[in-house]
């Protein structure tokens, strides 16, 4: 099942893989980092909101790790050390998020 979010005139769809990655991040924050379930959920919701705002203007992928997942990238800076990326393609009127990763897994030095 894909998840769709309406923001003004464009639509954002999360692939099953991207939604599983978001769920995995939330589970990791809760179980491994020992944050509360509410904090972990809000963290992921903040990420999604940040991606969606960043997608108002589509930016092309520059890094090879991003390009292999999609033509465009949206980013969300959570804190000074961590930036999250949503890699997506535009299909008709939809922005289809295919993969989510952070700067720690993209390339050194971002």
């Amino acid at each position: 099942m894909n998840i769709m979010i309406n923001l003004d005139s464009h639509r954002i769809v999360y692939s099953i893989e991207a939604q599983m990655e978001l769920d995995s991040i939330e589970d990791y924050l809760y179980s491994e980092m020992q944050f509360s379930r509410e904090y972990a959920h809000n963290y992921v919701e903040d990420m999604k909101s940040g991606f969606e705002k960043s997608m108002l203007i589509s930016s092309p992928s520059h890094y090879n790790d991003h390009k292999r997942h999609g033509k465009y990238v949206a980013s969300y800076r959570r804190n000074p050390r961590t930036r999250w990326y949503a890699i997506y393609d535009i299909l008709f009127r939809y922005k289809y998020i295919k993969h989510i990763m952070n700067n720690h897994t993209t390339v050194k030095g971002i």
Side-chain angles (χ1 to χ4, degrees):
M1 169 175 47
N2 293 323
I3 297 172
M4 191 177 321
I5 297 168
N6 283 320
L7 258 185
D8 297 330
S9 62
H10 69 278
R11 297 177 186 196
I12 298 170
V13 178
Y14 289 81
S15 69
I16 293 170
E17 178 184 339
Q19 186 57 52
M20 288 174 58
E21 290 164 347
L22 290 171
D23 292 345
S24 177
I25 292 164
E26 186 173 329
D27 289 343
Y28 174 80
L29 291 171
Y30 175 69
S31 63
E32 299 297 322
M33 300 299 289
Q34 299 181 351
F35 291 124
S36 71
R37 179 59 76 186
E38 180 182 9
Y39 178 88
H41 177 75
N42 289 339
Y43 184 105
V44 169
E45 290 301 311
D46 288 347
M47 282 175 53
K48 289 167 62 174
S49 177
F51 292 150
E52 292 153 11
K53 288 175 187 169
S54 178
M55 289 175 146
L56 293 173
I57 299 174
S58 293
S59 300
S61 298
H62 294 289
Y63 301 104
N64 288 334
D65 280 349
H66 294 180
K67 287 180 183 179
R68 69 186 176 105
H69 294 288
K71 289 185 175 183
Y72 302 96
V73 63
S75 68
Y76 168 67
R77 182 175 289 284
R78 178 63 189 190
N79 59 49
R81 297 180 320 271
T82 305
R83 180 179 294 268
W84 289 94
Y85 300 99
I87 297 40
Y88 65 99
D89 284 324
I90 298 174
L91 306 171
F92 304 101
R93 293 184 186 171
Y94 298 92
K95 293 182 179 178
Y96 186 67
I97 298 176
K98 298 165 70 175
H99 190 65
I100 295 171
M101 61 195 328
N102 64 33
N103 59 301
H104 304 293
T105 58
T106 301
V107 292
K108 284 187 172 182
I110 295 179

